[in-house]
Amino acid sequence: MLAGRRLVLLAHALLIQALTFILRPTTSYRALELDVPAAWLGVLSASFAVAPLALALPVGQAADRFGERRVATAGAVLVTLSGVAFLVLGGHVAGLAVASALFGIGHLGCVVGQQALVANTTDRRGYATAFGHYTFAASLGQVGGPMLIAAFGGDREIPDTRPIFMWSCVIAGVLVVLSTLLPRGAAQEAARREGGPGGVRAILRTPGIPNALVTSCVVLAAVDIVLVYLPALGTERGLASGTIGVLLAVRGIAAMGSRLFLGRLAEAVGRRRLLVVSTVASAVALFAAPLPLPVWVLGSLLFVIGFGLGVGQPLTMAWLAEAAPPGLRGRAMSLRMVGNRTGQLLIPSAAGLVAAGLGAAGVLWLTALGLGWAGLAGRRLPADPG
């Protein structure tokens, strides 16, 4: 891939993640403005995942058949429409759920298109580095998104959400423009036709891939839980929304560090060991985060959480990209999204039930236990993909 086109892809990844880390916490704050019970925050989080869960495999097949750029462009258009929906329908919980679902579908199209492009335009030996750089750009967006919340929130516990939604629409418009400039995938038309109904089953039979999918699912769900329930924890503890925005940015900066140097870390430590150690360390830090600690200690824990969780996504992408032949890589990435969306649907919904009895702290504790289990289960992964 030409350097200029690769930069467009990385900018596209940056913006969709920035929008995710703007709109999803802002949705939580809007719900708190509407005096929605904490248990409903899990339902709002799950609404982001419901429709994409059903559409993930068809979207992956569309990326293989029609091209990654077209799928990413359609996703960017839906993201823009979701921003408008947040403005128009965000006065009630049902409207927030509809807008979140629309955003989830648009996000799906963008991410599947991006990941298939990385897989189809990278030499197999460079997958860890390429996906590390791709997710580094995503982490950069995750840093920038919360800073917009901090700018509008200031010292208030709940920021003014309307201007945040308005600026999100502007950013989504830029995303649409970038989508038209994305490179075309390198897979030949003959290779695209290789993918048949048995392709996904073949991927699932590859040793280690089911474990990688489970790990990816739990790690992403943990990121989601932090994203949704850290604002709620801050409200319970009387922390300003600006402080929460900075803490989320610290998590994103740490994830950037782990992803930028992922190729070197994997070579030095080994992919399996790196995944296990980083996941278990983030679980321990997440378990300690709800304790009554000074803000600087909480920031240190968020750094550990971000660094550890930042490793899981690119490594599982690399495993899947190596397992899938040309013509099936869009479906391979969408298969990963199915697992991720399943976790985003079930785990936050269960978290909402926990929140009703134990509050945000109980949700984070339960998530930490699941994360620790996923890290230990990662010991069954093969030492290297393929």
Side-chain angles (χ1 to χ4, degrees):
M1 190 192 304
L2 295 176
R5 291 301 180 104
R6 185 174 290 276
L7 287 176
V8 172
L9 173 59
L10 296 179
H12 199 274
L14 185 155
L15 287 186
I16 188 61
Q17 292 301 321
L19 284 167
T20 302
F21 276 67
I22 292 168
L23 287 174
R24 303 203 64 204
T26 304
T27 301
S28 296
Y29 279 124
R30 173 60 68 87
L32 293 172
E33 282 181 333
L34 300 173
D35 294 324
V36 172
W40 277 92
L41 294 179
V43 176
L44 287 175
S45 180
S47 68
F48 173 77
V50 174
L53 177 60
L55 296 174
L57 288 177
V59 168
Q61 187 172 7
D64 288 330
R65 182 175 180 183
F66 301 112
E68 305 90 341
R69 182 167 65 184
R70 291 181 180 177
V71 170
T73 301
V77 171
L78 289 175
V79 167
T80 306
L81 293 176
S82 74
V84 176
F86 276 114
L87 280 171
V88 175
L89 305 176
H92 353 149
V93 179
L96 289 175
V98 169
S100 295
L102 189 60
F103 179 64
I105 299 171
H107 177 273
L108 172 71
C110 290
V111 170
V112 169
Q114 292 164 4
Q115 293 176 8
L117 268 175
V118 175
N120 286 326
T121 57
T122 304
D123 183 86
R124 294 170 67 89
R125 292 171 295 182
Y127 277 144
T129 299
F131 280 111
H133 289 167
Y134 165 72
T135 50
F136 169 81
S139 297
L140 189 59
Q142 293 170 6
V143 172
M147 295 312 292
L148 182 65
I149 299 175
F152 281 99
D155 294 330
R156 290 175 293 185
E157 291 184 11
I158 299 179
D160 185 0
T161 55
R162 183 170 181 80
I164 300 177
F165 285 137
M166 292 178 65
W167 275 104
S168 298
C169 291
V170 174
I171 297 172
V174 176
L175 187 70
V176 173
V177 175
L178 283 178
S179 300
T180 64
L181 303 176
L182 286 171
R184 294 180 182 273
Q188 298 296 321
E189 210 45 51
R192 291 187 186 279
R193 289 195 295 268
E194 289 178 15
V200 171
R201 292 195 295 271
I203 294 170
L204 285 173
R205 286 196 294 267
T206 303
I209 291 302
N211 299 91
L213 291 172
V214 170
T215 301
S216 176
C217 164
V218 176
V219 167
L220 186 63
V223 174
D224 260 20
I225 292 295
V226 172
L227 185 63
V228 172
Y229 280 93
L230 191 62
L233 181 68
T235 302
E236 292 177 4
R237 300 285 171 83
L239 297 176
S241 60
T243 301
I244 296 299
V246 171
L247 289 173
L248 290 173
V250 167
R251 190 214 64 80
I253 291 171
M256 287 169 57
S258 64
R259 290 167 172 179
L260 182 60
F261 301 105
L262 182 65
R264 296 179 183 178
L265 288 171
E267 289 178 3
V269 180
R271 294 183 181 182
R272 180 176 58 190
R273 182 179 299 171
L274 178 61
L275 183 64
V276 171
V277 172
S278 62
T279 305
V280 171
S282 60
V284 173
L286 184 60
F287 194 86
L291 300 176
L293 301 168
V295 173
W296 70 268
V297 176
L298 183 58
S300 300
L301 293 174
L302 263 294
F303 186 89
V304 174
I305 292 167
F307 194 93
L309 297 182
V311 168
Q313 297 303 306
L315 280 187
T316 54
M317 289 178 200
W319 257 297
L320 283 171
E322 287 211 1
L328 279 176
R329 287 173 181 151
R331 268 163 278 194
M333 296 305 161
S334 65
L335 181 64
R336 175 180 164 275
M337 294 296 290
V338 168
N340 288 349
R341 289 292 192 263
T342 301
Q344 287 177 305
L345 175 63
L346 299 179
I347 296 176
S349 298
L353 297 176
V354 174
L358 300 177
V363 173
L364 296 177
W365 284 328
L366 183 64
T367 304
L369 293 176
L371 196 59
W373 168 82
L376 295 176
R379 293 179 298 175
R380 294 194 295 269
L381 287 167
D384 293 297

